[in-house]
Amino acid sequence: MQKPQVIRRVNGYDKDAYTYYPVLIVGAGESGIAMGCRLKEVLGFDQFHVVDRQSGIGGTWWANRYPNVACDVPAIFYSFSFAPNHKWTTFHPPGPEIVKYLHEVCEKYRILDKIELNTTVSEARWLEDEEEWEVVLKHLAPGTGDLSENERQQKISKYGEGAVYLSREVVRAKILASAVGGLVEPKSWPDHIPGRETFEGNIFHSARWDYNVDLNDKDVVVVGTGCSAAQFVPRLTKAPFNAKSVTQIMRSPPWVVPRPAPPFGQEVWSKWSPTIFSTVPGVAYFFRAMIYFFAEMDFYGIFGRDERSEQYRAKIEEQLLKHMRATVPEKYHEILTPDYGVGCKRRIFDATWFPGLNDPKIDLTTLPITSIQGKEVNLGPGRSYPDPKDETSSVSKDQKTVPADVIVLANGFDVTAWLHPLKVRGKGGKLLQDVWDERGGPQAYLGAAMDGFPNFFIIFGPNTATGHSSVILASENMVNYSLKFMKPILNGDVRTYEVKKEAEISWTQDIQEKLKQTVWSTGGCQSWYKSENGWNSTAFPYSQTNFTLKCMFPKWNDWSVKYTRKGLLKQRLRQALKYIAFVAAIVGVYRTRQAGRGLIDIPAILREYFRFGLLNILGIVNRGIAEVQNRI
């Protein structure tokens, strides 16, 4: 018996009681919010539940609250197409404004009551007989969900599980959607650097910024020169932080692109764009489309490996180096000249870091940290860049010690540990991570599905980041793609959808082979896109247009489907309709020729036969559906 897809409590208060959710969404960041909103808007379905371990909505934007945090993609492009915001205060809005926007979207679509915070998913297991997902939820002590997994484990080791986990709950779901995102788990302190136990200052990651630590008149050491560090380092020596000094440690230089200014300048944009976009139809859409177009052109120029792309990259590199030399002090020119192709690593779109390096309180060095103790950091001997074997370089390799009251880790995220710490067990109890290990690395068909894991959809999964476009756009595409499969399940026509093994393997092979032909593999760099064994589970080697089209038009033959009795009947009736229409056309042509009528009469005759056949088929369909409904 096919039960209606509604949230319900099963078995009352018995020992094996549980709550059933037709759709369970893990994560309340951009992707989880998009999935909830589109379920309501596109399918008219509101029987879903969203869980997130953090204490607030917004995903990476809730977690990252470091000084000067902002979006490096123009906001008009970094927003949902179904919920445009015409009143951004700046071209590149700060993090708090993005969080506010995401909250407003949730309010508009009335899904706030669907979101349960301070709740983590520890394991999900596919029940083959019931064809449902059994999910273990753990309810967290307030605030502990905002800690990293490593920090939670440390808290448990020190104070016991009760300091983190308040209760455990088992629920079930027909469809499980993972929207956990990639920038979730910050990297911890490097194990190879001794002395953390004897360090007397504070250490925290930029993704878990500790505003309780007073930086006023303090010596700060920042580890890393990625996008986050480029935003907060210039602010640390200024009010209200007023650090005495900032020593920034760089492993290798990034390619830094001047952040694009809005048309007519920031002041004019901030003053007039909200009014114009809100009152003049089509203008906001036009600007969004233009940004999309230029981003796509950037992809074809930057990321390919053909001669045309190499010439384009060489031209861009020359322009970026010219910008660097004109902006930063001469003493940094050598260490800020990359020895790899632009695009190989994530580019930094910057408006403050390069100018900030002129601040005498900020020092940039490529001397590596060798140890820490007390309130000091030992740097060198040696250097991480340029190559220490390069005797022509004038960059110092001499050891030195710098004062350190605070160490801020800006060394990125563990982006190769997909879905961590969530354990997903599919058919036969097989762990998804084990399947990935067997096949070479994290992967998923269209970044969304794995064979052996029915009714499981990943939003913004492996190999879906393009490196040039909007993350929100990619998430939207995957949400819309997943809805095409969720709809028949929720309507009661399909029991399970599962991508075929050969389709998943073929997809992954194509992705990995194509990646070898891009600057991510040929650019001569080491980046967080790839794991230590060279497996790239991050980047999508085609354009965003290509990805959009693939999401719009699924290859249904790549999927195995199990129909319900109702769905099977409807499928057979659709096939019968096609067959009868074909036969009617043949008979119509034959009768026309027998009656001696001309070609001009064929459409009228076909309409007559089709109308007659359609009325009969509709009667059969109605009787068939009524019979199925009576049986179930």
Side-chain angles (χ1 to χ4, degrees):
M1 179 178 180
Q2 184 75 20
K3 294 183 178 180
Q5 292 297 340
V6 296
I7 299 173
R8 60 181 184 270
R9 184 69 180 170
V10 180
N11 297 333
Y13 51 73
D14 292 349
K15 186 177 180 181
D16 60 349
Y18 62 89
T19 302
Y20 173 85
Y21 299 104
V23 182
L24 181 64
I25 303 168
V26 184
E30 299 154 354
S31 297
I33 291 171
M35 176 62 78
C37 294
R38 299 299 278 171
L39 276 168
K40 291 193 72 172
E41 184 176 47
V42 178
L43 302 187
F45 189 81
D46 67 352
Q47 297 297 288
F48 60 87
H49 192 59
V50 185
V51 295
D52 195 294
R53 73 184 187 190
Q54 296 187 139
S55 60
I57 298 167
T60 188
W61 291 105
W62 179 264
N64 285 271
R65 305 183 192 181
Y66 56 81
N68 208 36
V69 58
C71 183
D72 58 8
V73 175
I76 196 170
F77 193 35
Y78 197 84
S79 49
F80 298 122
S81 64
F82 60 84
N85 180 14
H86 298 323
K87 296 185 178 181
W88 294 108
T89 59
T90 64
F91 198 53
H92 297 91
E97 189 172 354
I98 295 175
V99 171
K100 180 183 177 183
Y101 163 72
L102 294 174
H103 278 76
E104 289 173 348
V105 172
C106 293
E107 293 167 12
K108 176 182 177 181
Y109 285 87
R110 299 182 181 180
I111 66 169
L112 282 171
D113 60 327
K114 299 293 183 181
I115 300 173
E116 183 178 10
L117 301 172
N118 297 305
T119 303
T120 188
V121 176
S122 63
E123 184 174 355
R125 181 168 61 97
W126 176 250
L127 304 178
E128 297 188 46
D129 293 337
E130 296 87 345
E131 293 181 334
E132 295 173 353
W133 284 98
E134 183 179 74
V135 182
V136 177
L137 304 179
K138 289 186 177 181
H139 302 287
L140 304 169
T144 56
D146 293 332
L147 302 175
S148 67
E149 179 66 15
N150 185 51
E151 290 170 326
R152 282 195 295 276
Q153 291 304 318
Q154 290 178 1
K155 199 174 184 70
I156 290 174
S157 299
K158 190 173 183 178
Y159 301 108
E161 282 209 357
V164 174
Y165 301 116
L166 301 181
S167 62
R168 179 179 180 273
E169 180 185 5
V170 177
V171 300
R172 290 191 185 182
K174 186 65 176 177
I175 298 171
L176 180 63
S178 169
V180 298
L183 303 181
V184 177
E185 282 300 315
K187 289 184 177 179
S188 56
W189 178 259
D191 293 332
H192 68 278
I193 300 176
R196 178 163 187 175
E197 303 79 13
T198 61
F199 184 68
E200 298 174 5
N202 299 99
I203 301 176
F204 56 83
H205 197 282
S206 62
R208 301 293 187 272
W209 194 274
D210 190 349
Y211 279 95
N212 293 318
V213 176
D214 182 15
L215 301 183
N216 188 60
D217 203 33
K218 299 293 177 62
D219 294 303
V220 181
V221 173
V222 176
V223 182
T225 52
C227 296
S228 298
Q231 291 183 340
F232 72 75
V233 163
R235 287 295 307 276
L236 298 186
T237 58
K238 300 176 177 60
F241 305 101
N242 299 315
K244 180 196 300 183
S245 71
V246 175
T247 302
Q248 187 175 16
I249 300 170
M250 178 173 69
R251 186 178 59 183
S252 63
W255 281 104
V256 177
V257 182
R259 195 170 70 181
F264 314 112
Q266 184 60 62
E267 185 177 345
V268 173
W269 179 271
S270 297
K271 181 178 180 180
W272 292 105
S273 65
T275 301
I276 294 174
F277 289 163
S278 300
T279 57
V280 182
V283 175
Y285 178 81
F286 170 79
F287 270 98
R288 181 182 173 97
M290 291 302 295
I291 294 172
Y292 172 83
F293 172 77
F294 285 116
E296 290 294 271
M297 293 300 100
D298 188 48
F299 170 82
Y300 289 109
I302 291 286
F303 298 101
R305 65 172 298 182
D306 56 21
E307 184 178 350
R308 194 172 174 183
S309 294
E310 290 176 358
Q311 292 175 351
Y312 181 78
R313 279 198 300 273
K315 181 180 178 181
I316 295 298
E317 289 168 8
E318 183 180 350
Q319 294 173 354
L320 297 182
L321 289 176
K322 183 178 179 180
H323 165 70
M324 181 270 291
R325 295 185 185 114
T327 310
V328 307
E330 186 176 354
K331 64 180 179 178
Y332 296 137
H333 287 186
E334 185 176 0
I335 64 173
L336 285 174
T337 301
D339 61 354
Y340 59 89
V342 62
C344 185
K345 292 184 181 182
R346 190 168 188 263
R347 294 166 292 170
I348 294 178
F349 292 86
D350 170 58
T352 59
W353 183 44
F354 269 8
L357 291 176
N358 290 281
D359 187 337
K361 294 181 179 180
I362 298 176
D363 182 54
L364 178 67
T365 180
T366 57
L367 292 172
I369 298 180
T370 50
S371 64
I372 61 175
Q373 70 282 323
K375 288 193 174 183
E376 295 178 336
V377 170
N378 295 321
L379 304 178
R383 63 174 181 243
S384 58
Y385 190 87
D387 188 338
K389 297 178 182 179
D390 183 2
E391 298 299 333
T392 63
S393 172
S394 61
V395 178
S396 174
K397 295 186 288 184
D398 297 335
Q399 182 178 5
K400 71 175 183 179
T401 299
V402 297
D405 297 297
V406 179
I407 298 177
V408 180
L409 298 177
N411 54 344
F413 298 83
D414 189 359
V415 295
T416 58
W418 289 93
L419 306 186
H420 180 79
L422 172 62
K423 293 181 180 179
V424 183
R425 295 185 182 274
K427 290 181 174 179
K430 190 83 171 182
L431 267 174
L432 180 57
Q433 283 79 2
D434 290 344
V435 176
W436 284 345
D437 290 342
E438 292 170 4
R439 297 187 187 178
Q443 57 192 270
Y445 177 85
L446 207 65
M450 281 294 295
D451 57 283
F453 297 81
N455 295 3
F456 177 56
F457 299 93
I458 309 171
I459 309 303
F460 205 66
N463 296 111
T464 52
T466 57
H468 71 284
S469 192
S470 170
V471 169
I472 285 187
L473 178 60
S475 294
E476 265 197 74
N477 282 329
M478 302 194 74
V479 166
N480 292 335
Y481 179 78
S482 300
L483 290 180
K484 298 179 190 297
F485 298 90
M486 292 183 181
K487 182 178 180 179
I489 297 173
L490 298 176
N491 286 345
D493 295 332
V494 169
R495 289 156 49 198
T496 63
Y497 273 115
E498 178 187 351
V499 70
K500 296 176 181 177
K501 182 177 181 180
E502 58 269 25
E504 196 286 323
I505 292 176
S506 176
W507 167 269
T508 300
Q509 288 176 343
D510 174 72
I511 291 294
Q512 294 300 321
E513 285 299 317
K514 183 65 177 177
L515 282 168
K516 294 177 182 178
Q517 304 171 25
T518 66
V519 71
W520 292 304
S521 295
T522 64
C525 73
Q526 292 181 339
S527 74
W528 55 263
Y529 289 138
K530 297 186 293 184
S531 61
E532 292 181 359
N533 66 1
W535 185 270
N536 189 332
S537 62
T538 304
F540 180 68
Y542 298 98
S543 68
Q544 189 63 230
T545 301
N546 178 290
F547 189 70
T548 300
L549 291 173
K550 282 181 167 60
C551 291
M552 289 175 63
F553 304 103
K555 292 184 177 180
W556 296 101
N557 290 335
D558 286 348
W559 291 77
S560 297
V561 55
K562 289 184 179 180
Y563 290 100
T564 61
R565 284 186 293 177
K566 181 182 77 170
L568 186 61
L569 177 60
K570 290 169 69 173
Q571 179 73 2
R572 288 176 176 173
L573 289 174
R574 278 193 293 267
Q575 293 173 349
L577 177 61
K578 293 178 182 178
Y579 175 76
I580 292 173
F582 175 75
V583 171
I586 298 298
V587 172
V589 172
Y590 175 77
R591 293 281 180 88
T592 299
R593 295 188 63 182
Q594 288 292 99
R597 299 171 72 176
L599 293 175
I600 195 172
D601 300 313
I602 290 180
I605 296 173
L606 288 178
R607 282 195 297 271
E608 181 180 342
Y609 277 101
F610 187 77
R611 188 182 300 113
F612 176 76
L614 183 61
L615 290 173
N616 282 279
I617 291 171
L618 289 175
I620 295 172
V621 170
N622 288 331
R623 289 194 297 273
I625 292 177
E627 182 179 350
V628 170
Q629 289 175 337
N630 289 333
R631 290 182 178 180
I632 64 176

